[in-house]
mmCIF file with all atom_site columns, all heavy atoms in Angstrom:
data_model
loop_
_atom_site.group_PDB
_atom_site.id
_atom_site.type_symbol
_atom_site.label_atom_id
_atom_site.label_alt_id
_atom_site.label_comp_id
_atom_site.label_asym_id
_atom_site.label_entity_id
_atom_site.label_seq_id
_atom_site.pdbx_PDB_ins_code
_atom_site.Cartn_x
_atom_site.Cartn_y
_atom_site.Cartn_z
_atom_site.occupancy
_atom_site.B_iso_or_equiv
_atom_site.pdbx_formal_charge
_atom_site.auth_seq_id
_atom_site.auth_comp_id
_atom_site.auth_asym_id
_atom_site.auth_atom_id
_atom_site.pdbx_PDB_model_num
ATOM   1   N N   . SER H 1 15  ? -12.877 17.305 7.467  1.00 98.00 ? 33  SER H N   1
ATOM   2   C CA  . SER H 1 15  ? -11.659 17.433 6.648  1.00 98.00 ? 33  SER H CA  1
ATOM   3   C C   . SER H 1 15  ? -11.501 16.248 5.701  1.00 98.00 ? 33  SER H C   1
ATOM   4   O O   . SER H 1 15  ? -10.504 16.162 4.989  1.00 98.00 ? 33  SER H O   1
ATOM   5   C CB  . SER H 1 15  ? -10.430 17.545 7.563  1.00 98.00 ? 33  SER H CB  1
ATOM   6   O OG  . SER H 1 15  ? -10.411 16.464 8.465  1.00 98.00 ? 33  SER H OG  1
ATOM   7   N N   . SER H 1 16  ? -12.479 15.347 5.695  1.00 97.00 ? 34  SER H N   1
ATOM   8   C CA  . SER H 1 16  ? -12.328 14.124 4.920  1.00 97.00 ? 34  SER H CA  1
ATOM   9   C C   . SER H 1 16  ? -13.664 13.394 4.799  1.00 97.00 ? 34  SER H C   1
ATOM   10  O O   . SER H 1 16  ? -14.591 13.664 5.576  1.00 97.00 ? 34  SER H O   1
ATOM   11  C CB  . SER H 1 16  ? -11.303 13.272 5.688  1.00 97.00 ? 34  SER H CB  1
ATOM   12  O OG  . SER H 1 16  ? -11.217 11.974 5.224  1.00 97.00 ? 34  SER H OG  1
ATOM   13  N N   . ILE H 1 18  ? -16.988 11.327 4.791  1.00 98.00 ? 36  ILE H N   1
ATOM   14  C CA  . ILE H 1 18  ? -18.429 11.569 4.974  1.00 98.00 ? 36  ILE H CA  1
ATOM   15  C C   . ILE H 1 18  ? -18.680 13.002 5.449  1.00 98.00 ? 36  ILE H C   1
ATOM   16  O O   . ILE H 1 18  ? -19.597 13.679 4.972  1.00 98.00 ? 36  ILE H O   1
ATOM   17  C CB  . ILE H 1 18  ? -19.006 10.546 5.990  1.00 98.00 ? 36  ILE H CB  1
ATOM   18  C CG1 . ILE H 1 18  ? -18.949 9.125  5.409  1.00 98.00 ? 36  ILE H CG1 1
ATOM   19  C CG2 . ILE H 1 18  ? -20.434 10.911 6.394  1.00 98.00 ? 36  ILE H CG2 1
ATOM   20  C CD1 . ILE H 1 18  ? -19.225 8.007  6.417  1.00 98.00 ? 36  ILE H CD1 1
ATOM   21  N N   . ARG H 1 38  ? -8.593  17.847 12.406 1.00 98.00 ? 56  ARG H N   1
ATOM   22  C CA  . ARG H 1 38  ? -7.258  18.065 13.000 1.00 98.00 ? 56  ARG H CA  1
ATOM   23  C C   . ARG H 1 38  ? -6.260  18.481 11.932 1.00 98.00 ? 56  ARG H C   1
ATOM   24  O O   . ARG H 1 38  ? -5.327  19.214 12.191 1.00 98.00 ? 56  ARG H O   1
ATOM   25  C CB  . ARG H 1 38  ? -6.776  16.784 13.688 1.00 98.00 ? 56  ARG H CB  1
ATOM   26  C CG  . ARG H 1 38  ? -7.531  16.438 14.934 1.00 98.00 ? 56  ARG H CG  1
ATOM   27  C CD  . ARG H 1 38  ? -7.218  15.039 15.389 1.00 98.00 ? 56  ARG H CD  1
ATOM   28  N NE  . ARG H 1 38  ? -7.608  14.065 14.367 1.00 98.00 ? 56  ARG H NE  1
ATOM   29  C CZ  . ARG H 1 38  ? -7.644  12.753 14.543 1.00 98.00 ? 56  ARG H CZ  1
ATOM   30  N NH1 . ARG H 1 38  ? -7.304  12.243 15.713 1.00 98.00 ? 56  ARG H NH1 1
ATOM   31  N NH2 . ARG H 1 38  ? -7.990  11.944 13.570 1.00 98.00 ? 56  ARG H NH2 1
ATOM   32  N N   . ASN H 1 39  ? -6.455  17.997 10.727 1.00 98.00 ? 57  ASN H N   1
ATOM   33  C CA  . ASN H 1 39  ? -5.499  18.256 9.654  1.00 98.00 ? 57  ASN H CA  1
ATOM   34  C C   . ASN H 1 39  ? -5.865  19.567 8.943  1.00 98.00 ? 57  ASN H C   1
ATOM   35  O O   . ASN H 1 39  ? -6.863  19.650 8.225  1.00 98.00 ? 57  ASN H O   1
ATOM   36  C CB  . ASN H 1 39  ? -5.527  17.083 8.668  1.00 98.00 ? 57  ASN H CB  1
ATOM   37  C CG  . ASN H 1 39  ? -4.495  17.227 7.585  1.00 98.00 ? 57  ASN H CG  1
ATOM   38  O OD1 . ASN H 1 39  ? -4.557  18.159 6.776  1.00 98.00 ? 57  ASN H OD1 1
ATOM   39  N ND2 . ASN H 1 39  ? -3.538  16.339 7.560  1.00 98.00 ? 57  ASN H ND2 1
ATOM   40  N N   . ASP H 1 63  ? -8.294  18.501 18.213 1.00 98.00 ? 81  ASP H N   1
ATOM   41  C CA  . ASP H 1 63  ? -8.570  17.100 18.520 1.00 98.00 ? 81  ASP H CA  1
ATOM   42  C C   . ASP H 1 63  ? -9.783  17.049 19.447 1.00 98.00 ? 81  ASP H C   1
ATOM   43  O O   . ASP H 1 63  ? -9.746  17.593 20.551 1.00 98.00 ? 81  ASP H O   1
ATOM   44  C CB  . ASP H 1 63  ? -7.332  16.499 19.208 1.00 98.00 ? 81  ASP H CB  1
ATOM   45  C CG  . ASP H 1 63  ? -7.477  15.015 19.465 1.00 98.00 ? 81  ASP H CG  1
ATOM   46  O OD1 . ASP H 1 63  ? -8.597  14.471 19.293 1.00 98.00 ? 81  ASP H OD1 1
ATOM   47  O OD2 . ASP H 1 63  ? -6.476  14.389 19.866 1.00 98.00 ? 81  ASP H OD2 1
ATOM   48  N N   . LEU H 1 64  ? -10.845 16.392 19.028 1.00 98.00 ? 82  LEU H N   1
ATOM   49  C CA  . LEU H 1 64  ? -12.068 16.347 19.842 1.00 98.00 ? 82  LEU H CA  1
ATOM   50  C C   . LEU H 1 64  ? -11.975 15.289 20.945 1.00 98.00 ? 82  LEU H C   1
ATOM   51  O O   . LEU H 1 64  ? -12.857 15.203 21.795 1.00 98.00 ? 82  LEU H O   1
ATOM   52  C CB  . LEU H 1 64  ? -13.298 16.127 18.965 1.00 98.00 ? 82  LEU H CB  1
ATOM   53  C CG  . LEU H 1 64  ? -13.556 17.232 17.921 1.00 98.00 ? 82  LEU H CG  1
ATOM   54  C CD1 . LEU H 1 64  ? -14.818 16.918 17.109 1.00 98.00 ? 82  LEU H CD1 1
ATOM   55  C CD2 . LEU H 1 64  ? -13.678 18.618 18.560 1.00 98.00 ? 82  LEU H CD2 1
ATOM   56  N N   . ASN H 1 90  ? -19.906 13.778 13.424 1.00 98.00 ? 108 ASN H N   1
ATOM   57  C CA  . ASN H 1 90  ? -19.398 12.797 12.445 1.00 98.00 ? 108 ASN H CA  1
ATOM   58  C C   . ASN H 1 90  ? -17.982 12.312 12.763 1.00 98.00 ? 108 ASN H C   1
ATOM   59  O O   . ASN H 1 90  ? -17.636 11.178 12.445 1.00 98.00 ? 108 ASN H O   1
ATOM   60  C CB  . ASN H 1 90  ? -19.443 13.438 11.053 1.00 98.00 ? 108 ASN H CB  1
ATOM   61  C CG  . ASN H 1 90  ? -18.601 12.663 10.049 1.00 98.00 ? 108 ASN H CG  1
ATOM   62  O OD1 . ASN H 1 90  ? -18.989 11.592 9.590  1.00 98.00 ? 108 ASN H OD1 1
ATOM   63  N ND2 . ASN H 1 90  ? -17.417 13.180 9.736  1.00 98.00 ? 108 ASN H ND2 1
ATOM   64  N N   . TYR H 1 154 ? -14.667 -0.700 18.823 1.00 97.00 ? 172 TYR H N   1
ATOM   65  C CA  . TYR H 1 154 ? -15.245 0.284  17.895 1.00 97.00 ? 172 TYR H CA  1
ATOM   66  C C   . TYR H 1 154 ? -16.761 0.097  17.823 1.00 97.00 ? 172 TYR H C   1
ATOM   67  O O   . TYR H 1 154 ? -17.526 1.062  17.941 1.00 97.00 ? 172 TYR H O   1
ATOM   68  C CB  . TYR H 1 154 ? -14.613 0.134  16.505 1.00 97.00 ? 172 TYR H CB  1
ATOM   69  C CG  . TYR H 1 154 ? -15.305 0.973  15.441 1.00 97.00 ? 172 TYR H CG  1
ATOM   70  C CD1 . TYR H 1 154 ? -15.181 2.358  15.434 1.00 97.00 ? 172 TYR H CD1 1
ATOM   71  C CD2 . TYR H 1 154 ? -16.100 0.379  14.454 1.00 97.00 ? 172 TYR H CD2 1
ATOM   72  C CE1 . TYR H 1 154 ? -15.836 3.138  14.469 1.00 97.00 ? 172 TYR H CE1 1
ATOM   73  C CE2 . TYR H 1 154 ? -16.740 1.147  13.493 1.00 97.00 ? 172 TYR H CE2 1
ATOM   74  C CZ  . TYR H 1 154 ? -16.610 2.524  13.506 1.00 97.00 ? 172 TYR H CZ  1
ATOM   75  O OH  . TYR H 1 154 ? -17.250 3.290  12.558 1.00 97.00 ? 172 TYR H OH  1
ATOM   76  N N   . VAL H 1 187 ? -17.916 2.432  3.617  1.00 93.00 ? 205 VAL H N   1
ATOM   77  C CA  . VAL H 1 187 ? -17.801 3.583  2.721  1.00 93.00 ? 205 VAL H CA  1
ATOM   78  C C   . VAL H 1 187 ? -16.311 3.750  2.420  1.00 93.00 ? 205 VAL H C   1
ATOM   79  O O   . VAL H 1 187 ? -15.478 3.656  3.326  1.00 93.00 ? 205 VAL H O   1
ATOM   80  C CB  . VAL H 1 187 ? -18.324 4.868  3.408  1.00 93.00 ? 205 VAL H CB  1
ATOM   81  C CG1 . VAL H 1 187 ? -18.338 6.040  2.436  1.00 93.00 ? 205 VAL H CG1 1
ATOM   82  C CG2 . VAL H 1 187 ? -19.706 4.651  4.010  1.00 93.00 ? 205 VAL H CG2 1
ATOM   83  N N   . THR H 1 189 ? -13.444 5.681  2.289  1.00 92.00 ? 207 THR H N   1
ATOM   84  C CA  . THR H 1 189 ? -12.881 6.967  2.721  1.00 92.00 ? 207 THR H CA  1
ATOM   85  C C   . THR H 1 189 ? -11.483 6.687  3.286  1.00 92.00 ? 207 THR H C   1
ATOM   86  O O   . THR H 1 189 ? -11.001 5.563  3.217  1.00 92.00 ? 207 THR H O   1
ATOM   87  C CB  . THR H 1 189 ? -13.731 7.581  3.855  1.00 92.00 ? 207 THR H CB  1
ATOM   88  O OG1 . THR H 1 189 ? -13.680 6.686  4.976  1.00 92.00 ? 207 THR H OG1 1
ATOM   89  C CG2 . THR H 1 189 ? -15.182 7.784  3.451  1.00 92.00 ? 207 THR H CG2 1
HETATM 90  N N1  . NAP G 2 .   ? -15.940 4.687  6.183  1.00 70.44 ? 28  NAP G N1  1
HETATM 91  C C1  . NAP G 2 .   ? -16.719 3.757  6.681  1.00 70.44 ? 28  NAP G C1  1
HETATM 92  O O1  . NAP G 2 .   ? -16.740 2.612  6.193  1.00 70.44 ? 28  NAP G O1  1
HETATM 93  C C2  . NAP G 2 .   ? -17.617 4.051  7.860  1.00 70.44 ? 28  NAP G C2  1
HETATM 94  C C3  . NAP G 2 .   ? -18.626 3.136  8.158  1.00 70.44 ? 28  NAP G C3  1
HETATM 95  C C4  . NAP G 2 .   ? -19.462 3.384  9.229  1.00 70.44 ? 28  NAP G C4  1
HETATM 96  C C5  . NAP G 2 .   ? -19.312 4.510  9.981  1.00 70.44 ? 28  NAP G C5  1
HETATM 97  N N2  . NAP G 2 .   ? -18.314 5.408  9.691  1.00 70.44 ? 28  NAP G N2  1
HETATM 98  C C6  . NAP G 2 .   ? -18.189 6.580  10.557 1.00 70.44 ? 28  NAP G C6  1
HETATM 99  O O2  . NAP G 2 .   ? -18.259 7.738  9.759  1.00 70.44 ? 28  NAP G O2  1
HETATM 100 C C7  . NAP G 2 .   ? -17.565 8.817  10.396 1.00 70.44 ? 28  NAP G C7  1
HETATM 101 C C8  . NAP G 2 .   ? -16.678 9.503  9.375  1.00 70.44 ? 28  NAP G C8  1
HETATM 102 O O3  . NAP G 2 .   ? -15.739 8.566  8.906  1.00 70.44 ? 28  NAP G O3  1
HETATM 103 P P1  . NAP G 2 .   ? -15.123 8.594  7.426  1.00 70.44 ? 28  NAP G P1  1
HETATM 104 O O4  . NAP G 2 .   ? -15.369 7.276  6.830  1.00 70.44 ? 28  NAP G O4  1
HETATM 105 O O5  . NAP G 2 .   ? -15.526 9.814  6.700  1.00 70.44 ? 28  NAP G O5  1
HETATM 106 O O6  . NAP G 2 .   ? -13.571 8.623  7.823  1.00 70.44 ? 28  NAP G O6  1
HETATM 107 P P2  . NAP G 2 .   ? -12.388 9.649  7.493  1.00 70.44 ? 28  NAP G P2  1
HETATM 108 O O7  . NAP G 2 .   ? -12.344 9.938  6.043  1.00 70.44 ? 28  NAP G O7  1
HETATM 109 O O8  . NAP G 2 .   ? -11.194 9.052  8.156  1.00 70.44 ? 28  NAP G O8  1
HETATM 110 O O9  . NAP G 2 .   ? -12.832 10.982 8.256  1.00 70.44 ? 28  NAP G O9  1
HETATM 111 C C9  . NAP G 2 .   ? -12.832 11.042 9.652  1.00 70.44 ? 28  NAP G C9  1
HETATM 112 C C10 . NAP G 2 .   ? -12.944 12.478 10.069 1.00 70.44 ? 28  NAP G C10 1
HETATM 113 O O10 . NAP G 2 .   ? -13.023 12.543 11.505 1.00 70.44 ? 28  NAP G O10 1
HETATM 114 C C11 . NAP G 2 .   ? -11.985 13.386 11.992 1.00 70.44 ? 28  NAP G C11 1
HETATM 115 N N3  . NAP G 2 .   ? -11.548 12.892 13.296 1.00 70.44 ? 28  NAP G N3  1
HETATM 116 C C12 . NAP G 2 .   ? -11.338 11.616 13.670 1.00 70.44 ? 28  NAP G C12 1
HETATM 117 N N4  . NAP G 2 .   ? -10.962 11.567 14.963 1.00 70.44 ? 28  NAP G N4  1
HETATM 118 C C13 . NAP G 2 .   ? -10.945 12.853 15.404 1.00 70.44 ? 28  NAP G C13 1
HETATM 119 C C14 . NAP G 2 .   ? -10.633 13.462 16.644 1.00 70.44 ? 28  NAP G C14 1
HETATM 120 N N5  . NAP G 2 .   ? -10.229 12.764 17.708 1.00 70.44 ? 28  NAP G N5  1
HETATM 121 N N6  . NAP G 2 .   ? -10.710 14.811 16.737 1.00 70.44 ? 28  NAP G N6  1
HETATM 122 C C15 . NAP G 2 .   ? -11.090 15.548 15.666 1.00 70.44 ? 28  NAP G C15 1
HETATM 123 N N7  . NAP G 2 .   ? -11.393 15.038 14.475 1.00 70.44 ? 28  NAP G N7  1
HETATM 124 C C16 . NAP G 2 .   ? -11.311 13.700 14.348 1.00 70.44 ? 28  NAP G C16 1
HETATM 125 C C17 . NAP G 2 .   ? -10.884 13.335 10.944 1.00 70.44 ? 28  NAP G C17 1
HETATM 126 O O11 . NAP G 2 .   ? -10.106 14.504 11.066 1.00 70.44 ? 28  NAP G O11 1
HETATM 127 P P3  . NAP G 2 .   ? -8.559  14.634 10.553 1.00 70.44 ? 28  NAP G P3  1
HETATM 128 O O12 . NAP G 2 .   ? -8.409  13.726 9.367  1.00 70.44 ? 28  NAP G O12 1
HETATM 129 O O13 . NAP G 2 .   ? -8.441  16.081 10.214 1.00 70.44 ? 28  NAP G O13 1
HETATM 130 O O14 . NAP G 2 .   ? -7.709  14.228 11.681 1.00 70.44 ? 28  NAP G O14 1
HETATM 131 C C18 . NAP G 2 .   ? -11.720 13.304 9.663  1.00 70.44 ? 28  NAP G C18 1
HETATM 132 O O15 . NAP G 2 .   ? -12.160 14.599 9.319  1.00 70.44 ? 28  NAP G O15 1
HETATM 133 C C19 . NAP G 2 .   ? -16.808 8.191  11.579 1.00 70.44 ? 28  NAP G C19 1
HETATM 134 O O16 . NAP G 2 .   ? -17.500 8.461  12.769 1.00 70.44 ? 28  NAP G O16 1
HETATM 135 C C20 . NAP G 2 .   ? -16.856 6.700  11.273 1.00 70.44 ? 28  NAP G C20 1
HETATM 136 O O17 . NAP G 2 .   ? -16.831 5.914  12.447 1.00 70.44 ? 28  NAP G O17 1
HETATM 137 C C21 . NAP G 2 .   ? -17.464 5.196  8.638  1.00 70.44 ? 28  NAP G C21 1
#
Side-chain angles (χ1 to χ4, degrees):
S33 54
S34 169
I36 294 168
R56 290 168 299 190
N57 184 296
D81 185 350
L82 299 181
N108 164 75
Y172 171 71
V205 186
T207 63

